[in-house]
Amino acid sequence: MSVNEEDFVPKKKKTQSEEENEKRRKKITPGSLMKAEIRPGSGTEKAVDGDQVIYHRTVRTLDGVVVDSTRSELGGKGYPVRHVLGKSKMILGLLEGIPTMLEGEIAMVFYPMFSNLIILSTLNVPAFKMKPELHYGEDDCPVAVSDSFPKHDELHFEVELLDFSKSKVISEDLGVVKKVINEGEGWETPREPYEVKAWISVKSGDGKLVLSHREGEPFFFTFGKAEVPKGLEMGIGTMTRGEKAIIYVTNHYLTESPFMLMVENYEEVQFEVELVHFIQVRDMLGDGRLIKRRIHDGRGEFPMDCPLHDSLLRVHYKGMLLNEEKKVFYDTRIDNDGQPLEFCSGEGLVPEGLEMCVRLMLPREIALVTCPPDYAYDKFERPASVPKGAHIQWEIELLGFETPKDWTGLNFENIMEEAEKIKSTGNRLFKEEKFVLAKAKYEKVLREYNHVNPQDDEEGKIFLNSRNSLHLNVAACYLKMGECKKSVEACNKVLDSSPVHVKALYRRGMAYMSAGDFDEARNDFEKMITVGKSSEPDATAALLKLKQKEQEVEKKAKKQFKGLFDKKPGEIADVGTDSSENQRPEDDNHERPDQKGSDNIEPEDIREADPPRRSFFSQICPVGSRLFTSLGLQRCTIL
């Protein structure tokens, strides 16, 4: 028994319109619809579902009376019909008949029961002679006509196929459809807020020229700023560099714009477009403050050839103050003896805004970056000539980059050396209170560890200790970031494999204590004592700290609810409040950078410090606290 390979190819799911058309076609019995070729068309290809077809149509009764026409000489508007086969709403006879025609062909489709077929058209165009059930008289016909239309009569449909082509449907209602003339280069297409240059001409539905931007300079506009009609922008948003296309737009998508002021007189227009160039403009933060504008294309494909991952980067840059003078405060080509700046991304060595933009650059690309103070030098070592709060503009050229060393093929000793280097960088970032970057370094090593397989017990022990240390460092980062639940989860990854790991118990206990889960914290600290005498001093100190925490909470509770239950029925009790708390709520939620007891980092691990304090309500009712926070209510007043 032979196996048909096609049986294993998954079949494409049919759309709703395809299923409906398939049911409609079953109404046509074999041999009931015939075609007589009057004038042959050109070529050999025929239209198929998904193709756009353009044709003139005239509908007559059998005695020659015109009831509808697209031709101006027969009372129509002169605009040919434009449909997308299988997607547009069409009468059944044309849906079945047009795919049998060649471009330019004149043909006659008829029923064999009519032996004496007479051509009634004055234009010598043949007719599709149809029963009512194949045109507007079909049950549940998708095309509506007026009550006066003779939809229950047999009619002649005179059709001339003008053109058909592959099309891209851009709007679901077929109000914007694109026909590609010449393919472009690459895959990137314009989008908001890119800057676009294009040659554009506009024709009405009958082919008359309405407007042209084909002389002088290409038309320039910013994508997403309503500077061109909506439908035209939607079509250009699907084009690549150098592409030529015709974009068909109905009046629903013909919005007024600086490009085309008068639009109300047109039911449909055709935009002939050649996309000359577009400049990539990226809103890095989504609020318009940090903008990267590509002014010279780089090499390669975006974003595959960008240094998205941590890499060694080489850049030239020129920094300017965004003021009237645009004073240059640093230029690597002048102030660095012509040498480029080299730095490793992901290590906090340059301002955050600069690094974010360089990660999205191609080699040899030149970009202009405008940056707000908080992503420039307000949170970074500020050059002497840059005042606090200054907005910055950088002109950056990415010369090249080197990706991190691939661990594939390294022996275990070399892998551990590479891991230690990355971990040391994370430790430095933690000391600098750059907890997000530090966490990213630890997690990078943990991801690489997924592919490491120790070969003996000794390597297994070293590997396990290193991995546990990284998980605990991640937990410390989360705790500093105020994410106690994630800190607990990181500790659990250690305790799952090493249930009596003292440091993991201690760190998890601190996370529980910070979250207000005092019972869980006490269990971890007490378990430390049972593990070994060496951990008893740390556990005892932690239990003492826990007791102090509980006393503080109890004291606050008494003060908060003082007098609440001392009043007689019907009287309103004043709730005790701490005025200093109401004025400085953030003091309960954020640890000051200069607070004593901050974490000290040792070569192999991070030792625990005082976790960020949480509000009283979150400690006595963590779930309720999260509920009030989600509603935007940070404090609760009780009457």
Side-chain angles (χ1 to χ4, degrees):
M1 180 178 176
S2 62
V3 179
N4 189 350
E5 292 184 2
E6 294 182 358
D7 294 338
F8 297 94
V9 178
K11 295 181 179 180
K12 184 179 179 181
K13 187 177 180 180
K14 294 180 180 179
T15 63
Q16 182 177 355
S17 61
E18 288 174 337
E19 291 179 350
E20 291 175 354
N21 288 332
E22 192 173 288
K23 292 179 182 178
R24 294 176 67 200
R25 285 188 171 106
K26 291 179 180 179
K27 299 175 183 178
I28 304 174
T29 58
S32 64
L33 192 60
M34 308 294 289
K35 183 183 79 170
E37 184 179 287
I38 306 301
R39 186 184 75 189
S42 59
T44 58
E45 294 186 0
K46 298 177 182 179
V48 296
D49 279 0
D51 285 357
Q52 177 176 260
V53 294
I54 301 175
Y55 59 94
H56 270 301
R57 177 199 65 208
T58 299
V59 185
R60 298 172 183 269
T61 62
L62 294 186
D63 57 2
V65 178
V66 176
V67 294
D68 183 39
S69 181
T70 59
R71 298 183 185 275
S72 58
E73 60 268 30
L74 293 176
K77 296 181 179 180
Y79 294 177
V81 179
R82 181 178 60 82
H83 279 151
V84 177
L85 287 177
K87 296 185 178 180
S88 296
K89 296 178 179 180
M90 300 176 65
I91 61 173
L92 181 54
L94 296 183
L95 179 65
E96 186 72 6
I98 288 179
T100 69
M101 302 177 65
L102 298 174
E103 185 175 335
E105 177 184 331
I106 298 176
M108 180 186 301
V109 178
F110 61 92
Y111 288 93
M113 65 183 68
F114 297 101
S115 57
N116 297 322
L117 187 63
I118 302 174
I119 297 177
L120 302 172
S121 172
T122 58
L123 297 173
N124 195 30
V125 178
F128 287 57
K129 196 171 185 179
M130 302 181 194
K131 282 185 176 182
E133 58 266 26
L134 289 187
H135 57 73
Y136 304 101
E138 177 191 2
D139 293 338
D140 299 323
C141 180
V143 184
V145 290
S146 64
D147 294 338
S148 60
F149 192 92
K151 63 181 181 179
H152 298 298
D153 298 340
E154 295 169 1
L155 299 173
H156 283 99
F157 283 77
E158 302 167 3
V159 176
E160 181 181 5
L161 182 59
L162 302 176
D163 179 59
F164 70 87
S165 60
K166 300 294 181 186
S167 63
K168 179 177 178 61
V169 176
I170 297 172
S171 64
E172 291 185 1
D173 59 0
L174 307 180
V176 184
V177 177
K178 183 182 75 170
K179 172 185 175 181
V180 177
I181 306 301
N182 290 330
E183 297 285 352
E185 299 177 354
W187 66 270
E188 190 177 7
T189 58
R191 56 184 176 273
E192 187 178 352
Y194 283 23
E195 296 172 353
V196 180
K197 289 183 178 181
W199 297 112
I200 307 173
S201 60
V202 188
K203 292 182 179 179
S204 59
D206 58 357
K208 294 180 180 178
L209 186 65
V210 175
L211 183 65
S212 179
H213 281 276
R214 288 279 179 183
E215 297 179 358
E217 292 291 324
F219 185 76
F220 174 86
F221 69 96
T222 301
F223 206 94
K225 300 295 184 181
E227 296 175 3
V228 296
K230 179 181 178 181
L232 173 60
E233 185 171 78
M234 290 171 64
I236 291 178
T238 67
M239 298 176 67
T240 56
R241 282 186 180 86
E243 181 179 330
K244 294 181 181 179
I246 298 176
I247 301 171
Y248 299 86
V249 180
T250 60
N251 56 4
H252 178 69
Y253 294 92
L254 280 179
T255 54
E256 290 187 0
S257 65
F259 175 80
M260 192 175 178
L261 298 176
M262 301 294 293
V263 296
E264 64 273 8
N265 297 328
Y266 304 101
E267 290 188 5
E268 179 175 297
V269 297
Q270 304 170 15
F271 293 97
E272 296 181 1
V273 182
E274 180 182 351
L275 184 55
V276 178
H277 186 63
F278 57 82
I279 296 174
Q280 186 191 77
V281 181
R282 305 192 73 86
D283 185 349
M284 303 297 294
L285 302 174
D287 57 8
R289 297 191 304 135
L290 178 58
I291 301 295
K292 171 186 173 289
R293 181 175 180 269
R294 181 190 291 171
I295 57 179
H296 185 275
D297 290 339
R299 300 173 182 171
E301 289 290 332
F302 178 89
M304 290 76 76
D305 296 318
C306 297
L308 299 175
H309 304 289
D310 292 351
S311 307
L312 176 63
L313 305 170
R314 293 185 299 277
V315 302
H316 271 304
Y317 79 94
K318 179 168 62 176
M320 295 163 279
L321 298 177
L322 267 183
N323 51 23
E324 293 182 358
E325 300 176 357
K326 284 199 172 181
K327 179 182 178 182
V328 177
F329 60 85
Y330 191 83
D331 188 339
T332 55
R333 289 184 169 89
I334 298 173
D335 302 310
N336 200 35
D337 298 326
Q339 296 299 312
L341 172 68
E342 289 192 0
F343 68 96
C344 290
S345 55
E347 298 187 6
L349 300 175
V350 296
E352 185 176 0
L354 189 148
E355 181 173 319
M356 287 174 63
C357 293
V358 172
R359 282 178 180 266
L360 293 180
M361 294 178 66
L362 292 168
R364 292 297 175 181
E365 177 185 332
I366 300 177
L368 201 61
V369 175
T370 56
C371 185
D374 52 330
Y375 281 81
Y377 293 105
D378 276 13
K379 296 181 179 180
F380 195 79
E381 184 178 352
R382 198 167 63 250
S385 55
V386 175
K388 184 175 178 60
H391 287 74
I392 302 298
Q393 184 177 81
W394 290 299
E395 183 180 299
I396 308 169
E397 179 181 3
L398 175 60
L399 302 178
F401 64 92
E402 296 177 11
T403 54
K405 182 185 294 185
D406 187 358
W407 288 11
T408 303
L410 296 181
N411 60 33
F412 182 79
E413 183 179 353
N414 290 336
I415 287 175
M416 300 312 295
E417 288 177 358
E418 293 296 323
E420 190 60 35
K421 291 178 184 178
I422 300 174
K423 181 182 173 184
S424 297
T425 302
N427 293 348
R428 174 180 62 79
L429 292 168
F430 191 97
K431 283 183 177 180
E432 296 172 0
E433 298 186 356
K434 297 175 181 177
F435 305 120
V436 175
L437 292 178
K439 182 175 71 71
K441 291 297 181 183
Y442 302 139
E443 290 176 335
K444 173 181 171 62
V445 181
L446 287 170
R447 286 194 301 271
E448 294 290 345
Y449 273 4
N450 290 331
H451 309 289
V452 177
N453 297 306
Q455 299 300 310
D456 54 44
D457 291 344
E458 183 63 26
E459 288 184 358
K461 183 178 179 181
I462 296 173
F463 176 76
L464 180 62
N465 290 338
S466 176
R467 189 177 63 183
N468 287 344
S469 175
L470 288 165
H471 280 308
L472 293 179
N473 288 0
V474 169
C477 292
Y478 275 130
L479 193 55
K480 282 293 188 179
M481 293 159 61
E483 299 187 45
C484 302
K485 182 178 178 181
K486 291 183 178 180
S487 181
V488 169
E489 291 172 354
C491 293
N492 287 341
K493 292 178 180 179
V494 177
L495 293 169
D496 287 344
S497 58
S498 306
V500 292
H501 196 288
V502 173
K503 290 184 179 179
L505 288 169
Y506 180 79
R507 190 147 296 166
R508 189 174 71 174
M510 298 300 287
Y512 278 136
M513 183 168 63
S514 177
D517 297 333
F518 296 141
D519 290 339
E520 296 290 348
R522 183 177 294 103
N523 289 339
D524 281 344
F525 296 146
E526 289 176 350
K527 190 173 183 179
M528 288 174 59
I529 297 175
T530 64
V531 170
K533 291 292 183 181
S534 59
S535 59
E536 186 172 346
D538 290 334
T540 303
L543 286 169
L544 178 61
K545 189 172 185 178
L546 177 64
K547 185 176 181 180
Q548 293 172 348
K549 272 277 192 187
E550 289 178 307
Q551 291 174 347
E552 289 176 9
V553 170
E554 185 179 355
K555 185 178 179 180
K556 283 185 178 181
K558 289 181 179 179
K559 187 175 182 180
Q560 186 81 4
F561 297 103
K562 182 180 180 181
L564 182 61
F565 304 106
D566 297 339
K567 300 292 182 179
K568 295 179 181 180
E571 292 182 337
I572 298 177
D574 295 329
V575 180
T577 58
D578 189 340
S579 60
S580 63
E581 272 192 8
N582 292 331
Q583 294 173 3
R584 296 289 300 276
E586 67 275 8
D587 288 349
D588 278 346
N589 298 314
H590 299 287
E591 195 175 45
R592 295 189 300 274
D594 58 348
Q595 186 174 350
K596 291 183 179 180
S598 61
D599 289 350
N600 296 318
I601 299 180
E602 297 180 352
E604 292 185 1
D605 202 2
I606 301 176
R607 298 192 60 179
E608 194 54 62
D610 294 342
R613 290 184 297 166
R614 299 183 60 173
S615 65
F616 157 74
F617 186 66
S618 67
Q619 291 175 342
I620 65 172
C621 185
V623 175
S625 172
R626 288 192 290 271
L627 175 61
F628 278 108
T629 301
S630 67
L631 296 174
L633 304 173
Q634 302 302 324
R635 294 192 174 274
C636 179
T637 301
I638 303 175
L639 296 179

